[in-house]
Amino acid sequence: MSVDTGTPPVGLFTGQHVLAELEGVDPELLDDEQFLRETLHDALSRSHATVCQMIAKRFEPQGVTVLALLSESHASLHTYPEDGSIFIDVFTCGHTAKPELAVRLLADALRPTTQNVQTIQRGHDYEHLS
């Protein structure tokens, strides 16, 4: 006999993949590795994702890539200061983490003039468990 605890089971093959392109961002912010690491970590934490590890690389003459390994999957930032642009990619499995919120918090911190955000539902549809 199973007992219904009201919580979705762990390990569901489902997730949300949020892809964003922000333009019109201050180039100095896009070339600031520490700011980007801290801002990504804060956005992920506030959106209920569990950050396991982060790595970053600043390129010469400019540009930064930040990768976050999450218990729920991953997130990445790729910046183009010379163009005032950034690619953001946040994928989380399950229903606990809120990747759309993470991207919204990143956009709030970066203050772009334009943004293109799309969410792709991946895996199986377990909406009845949310």
Side-chain angles (χ1 to χ4, degrees):
M1 170 172 34
S2 66
V3 176
D4 183 5
T5 62
T7 28
V10 174
L12 295 176
F13 187 68
T14 187
Q16 287 188 318
H17 203 153
V18 182
L19 306 170
E21 301 163 9
L22 309 182
E23 297 182 83
V25 178
D26 179 348
E28 287 187 25
L29 292 179
L30 296 177
D31 210 30
D32 185 337
E33 179 184 336
Q34 190 63 34
F35 168 79
L36 292 167
R37 287 176 71 108
E38 291 171 1
T39 302
L40 178 59
H41 193 282
D42 180 63
L44 292 168
S45 295
R46 290 176 57 196
S47 62
H48 308 289
T50 308
V51 179
C52 298
Q53 186 175 6
M54 292 185 73
I55 61 171
K57 168 74 175 161
R58 187 178 181 289
F59 297 93
E60 291 299 330
Q62 59 200 357
V64 177
T65 294
V66 182
L67 302 175
L69 174 65
L70 308 176
S71 291
E72 300 81 7
S73 197
H74 69 274
S76 65
L77 307 177
H78 300 281
T79 73
Y80 299 81
E82 68 277 14
D83 194 47
S85 302
I86 182 173
F87 287 118
I88 301 171
D89 177 3
V90 181
F91 176 57
T92 61
C93 300
H95 293 288
T96 304
K98 307 296 180 205
E100 290 175 323
L101 174 59
V103 170
R104 196 165 40 253
L105 292 168
L106 287 165
D108 289 349
L110 293 166
R111 299 179 309 278
T113 57
T114 62
Q115 53 187 304
N116 177 23
V117 180
Q118 58 182 320
T119 301
I120 300 166
Q121 300 300 320
R122 298 184 66 189
H124 300 290
D125 179 11
Y126 294 103
E127 282 301 315
H128 64 283
L129 297 174
S130 307

